[in-house]
Amino acid sequence: AQSVAQPEDQVNVAEGNPLTVKCTYSVSGNPYLFWYVQYPNRGLQFLLKYITGDNLVKGSYGFEAEFNKSQTSFHLKKPSALVSDSALYFCAVRDQTGANNLFFGTGTRLTVIP
Amino acid sequence: DADVTQTPRNRITKTGKRIMLECSQTKGHDRMYWYRQDPGLGLRLIYYSFDVKDINKGEISDGYSVSRQAQAKFSLSLESAIPNQTALYFCATSDSGQGNSPLHFGNGTRLTVT
């Protein structure tokens, strides 16, 4: 069975500091991994994905994520946080067989403090 | 994402009423999905459709039905609304592929059942 854990409901970081939003996953076989961001009163927006290859994936708005197979993690990172990064972030996973649909984590609310 | 349009944006209805949420897309994608979002639970898949003649149940389909009227239109119905169906509902699309295509979300419908 697929599952995604986002262990932190809330992450606070000062503007200009690096940020990390954590995600661990469980899937049979190799995963496709995604990060989405949700701003107030909006739908989710795709940030980046991991399919295969380089473990460091770069995405929109300066975000990147590091795939770690041994730790089954896919943490979202940004070197320098902006106040405008404050939003709800979702990690999602599906197995590469295509037999299952995308499975979302419960979300992490990021607040960047000016 | 303006390419995926959901109507209405907000709806308040009474217990026992039938209600329909509509979704249309101009992205030309074959695949369409309905999710519900609840605080602390993330997004859960209700129904999905890979083409006009294909309808599949997701993890929480009880109490819901869908209709894929055309490639661009996918509606969600609550046959007899109940209060625990109060939630934020999202329609999403993706193109056919290897399972690594990202989802494109509408801005959501906030449904309140009293």
Side-chain angles (χ1 to χ4, degrees):
Chain A
Q2 298 179 150
S3 67
V4 175
Q6 293 183 244
E8 300 157 317
D9 292 334
Q10 174 81 42
V11 170
N12 297 325
V13 63
E15 186 177 22
N17 282 3
L19 69 87
T20 298
V21 182
K22 296 179 180 178
C23 172
T24 58
Y25 67 90
S26 174
V27 70
S28 299
N30 295 317
Y32 294 133
L33 291 155
F34 302 80
W35 276 102
Y36 290 84
V37 59
Q38 184 181 27
Y39 298 102
N41 300 313
R42 299 295 301 274
L44 279 70
Q45 297 177 31
F46 168 72
L47 274 179
L48 51 81
K49 67 180 178 181
Y50 171 81
I51 302 173
T52 187
D54 194 346
N55 289 342
L56 186 64
V57 178
K58 294 187 183 298
S60 306
Y61 313 120
F63 283 93
E64 57 189 27
E66 186 169 9
F67 172 64
N68 187 317
K69 187 172 184 177
S70 63
Q71 297 185 5
T72 61
S73 67
F74 189 57
H75 301 331
L76 181 70
K77 300 181 180 183
K78 188 173 182 181
S80 178
L82 301 173
V83 173
S84 58
D85 293 330
S86 298
L88 188 56
Y89 290 81
F90 290 95
C91 182
V93 67
R94 70 180 303 169
D95 62 74
Q96 292 192 11
T97 67
N100 294 297
N101 283 297
L102 198 60
F103 194 88
F104 285 86
T106 53
T108 298
R109 186 165 298 282
L110 173 68
T111 300
V112 181
I113 302 165
Chain B
D1 191 328
D3 298 323
V4 183
T5 302
Q6 293 184 234
T7 56
R9 289 297 309 274
N10 292 281
R11 179 74 182 267
I12 300 173
T13 192
K14 294 184 183 297
T15 297
K17 294 292 187 182
R18 185 178 189 275
I19 182 172
M20 179 182 290
L21 309 182
E22 302 197 34
C23 176
S24 63
Q25 52 117 346
T26 58
K27 299 191 75 69
H29 288 165
D30 288 326
R31 301 183 176 192
M32 298 187 74
Y33 309 79
W34 276 104
Y35 286 88
R36 68 176 275 177
Q37 182 180 15
D38 298 277
L41 295 179
L43 276 76
R44 292 179 292 167
L45 182 63
I46 306 172
Y47 270 96
Y48 62 101
S49 168
F50 283 177
D51 64 43
V52 174
K53 297 181 179 179
D54 176 76
I55 300 289
N56 303 282
K57 292 182 177 180
E59 60 182 298
I60 55 162
S61 58
D62 287 350
Y64 301 95
S65 62
V66 291
S67 174
R68 185 81 184 265
Q69 301 95 323
Q71 187 208 34
K73 295 183 180 296
F74 192 38
S75 59
L76 175 72
S77 294
L78 285 67
E79 299 303 324
S80 179
I82 56 176
N84 76 2
Q85 291 178 313
T86 294
L88 189 53
Y89 289 84
F90 286 104
C91 175
T93 72
S94 70
D95 63 19
S96 303
Q98 303 302 315
N100 57 38
S101 300
L103 299 180
H104 299 262
F105 287 83
N107 285 331
T109 294
R110 186 170 297 280
L111 176 66
T112 303
V113 183
T114 61

